[in-house]
Amino acid sequence: MKYQDLCAELIQMIVLEKHAPAGGRFLSEREIAAKFNISRSTARRAVTELCRQGYLVQIHGSGTYIKDRRQSRPLHSLVRCSQSYEEMGLHASRRILSQKIVPANYIVAENLKIGIAEPVLMLQLLYYANRVPLNQTISFLPISRFPGVDRLDFSATPLLELLETNYNAHPRRTDNTLEAILPPPDIAENLKLKPNVPLILFESVTMGLMEDVLLPVEYFKCYYKTDNLRFSFTQNHMLV
């Protein structure tokens, strides 16, 4: 069987749900090799290609699953991860990778509207859905606006909720930009990604109301895996 024919056969199985429904476990490479009387290397190549095309997703230590192409998440819901995962029926959790005070570089200072080298809390969180890492977020909070923020516990309570409770900083909007990038080595390792697999980077600033003044309260970078999620947005057209 030609490699292209094998891919076409597997795609038909996936679309027609001949082996498993969307979201279910797909055939292993060994099962594919036996079913089509081909080598394991050819089966592996086909699975890799179907993952690249968005039909399958491989979860480290678990297996290969059929990507549910009928479901998608709105882009705006993804920068606050835990709630988004729970809405998808997944168990959400997080782990603090680091929490320390560092001097603001030019980019951090510019986004937070503070001086270069002013102290900021750098908080790195790794978010999981069903114990699979899906997102790493690096947040920067100005110490001048939130004295003692480095002593707060970010392991369970959402960051903005802590700022609102402890500092009366009321979030009003978050300005986001996004781009597709290849993951830095440490991000790839934490998210269990191959270096050549792209991810979406959200770069965002949250504006909050503090004593009736609108100020930047958080600047963060959100590295989001795209291998098992689809994203959507709605464009409305005005009648003329």
Side-chain angles (χ1 to χ4, degrees):
M1 171 179 282
K2 293 182 179 180
Y3 166 71
Q4 292 85 350
D5 294 335
L6 173 62
C7 288
E9 285 283 345
L10 295 177
I11 289 173
Q12 185 174 10
M13 289 177 61
I14 293 168
V15 172
L16 298 180
E17 298 186 348
K18 286 187 176 181
H19 175 72
R25 187 191 292 269
F26 194 58
L27 295 168
S28 67
E29 293 171 2
R30 180 177 300 165
E31 290 170 327
I32 293 172
K35 180 178 179 64
F36 294 97
N37 193 26
I38 56 175
S39 66
R40 285 281 299 275
S41 61
T42 301
R44 184 177 303 112
R45 182 185 173 196
V47 169
T48 300
E49 174 61 22
L50 266 59
C51 287
R52 189 186 69 81
Q53 293 186 28
Y55 289 98
L56 299 174
V57 57
Q58 289 182 308
I59 298 177
H60 182 75
S62 180
T64 302
Y65 292 82
I66 299 172
K67 189 171 182 178
D68 192 345
R69 299 173 63 84
R70 296 168 298 190
Q71 292 188 359
S72 62
R73 301 300 302 165
L75 278 171
H76 67 79
S77 72
L78 298 175
V79 292
R80 294 303 174 196
C81 313
S82 298
Q83 180 181 353
S84 177
Y85 297 159
E86 290 168 356
E87 290 172 355
M88 296 165 63
L90 305 173
H91 172 68
S93 59
R94 76 181 90 182
R95 177 165 68 92
I96 296 177
L97 298 176
S98 68
Q99 183 174 338
K100 59 184 178 181
I101 296 177
V102 299
N105 62 24
Y106 173 81
I107 296 175
V108 173
E110 177 70 16
N111 280 284
L112 290 177
K113 305 305 178 188
I114 59 176
I116 296 174
E118 279 195 34
V120 294
L121 173 66
M122 182 176 72
L123 177 67
Q124 297 198 60
L125 292 170
L126 192 60
Y127 290 85
Y128 297 83
N130 290 355
R131 294 185 293 182
V132 176
L134 291 186
N135 164 273
Q136 182 170 336
T137 299
I138 305 175
S139 292
F140 298 90
L141 306 172
I143 297 296
S144 59
R145 290 179 193 137
F146 308 116
V149 69
D150 55 303
R151 296 190 292 272
L152 296 181
D153 181 7
F154 295 93
S155 60
T157 307
L159 184 152
L160 293 182
E161 185 176 320
L162 284 173
L163 296 184
E164 192 162 20
T165 300
N166 291 275
Y167 299 97
N168 290 320
H170 307 287
R172 287 296 179 262
R173 75 168 194 268
T174 298
D175 300 319
N176 305 291
T177 61
L178 61 102
E179 61 181 317
I181 66 167
L182 292 177
D186 58 326
I187 303 292
E189 181 178 357
N190 291 332
L191 294 178
K192 302 186 184 304
L193 275 177
K194 295 180 180 179
N196 61 344
V197 175
L199 47 73
I200 288 182
L201 169 62
F202 286 84
E203 194 167 1
S204 311
V205 177
T206 296
M207 304 296 293
L209 201 61
M210 300 183 67
E211 298 182 351
D212 297 324
V213 179
L214 195 64
L215 296 169
V217 297
E218 179 195 12
Y219 163 64
F220 63 94
K221 301 174 76 172
C222 186
Y223 298 88
Y224 220 107
K225 290 175 67 175
T226 60
D227 55 355
N228 61 347
L229 291 174
R230 303 181 77 212
F231 308 110
S232 66
F233 68 94
T234 298
Q235 180 180 6
N236 293 316
H237 298 273
M238 296 183 61
L239 294 176
V240 292

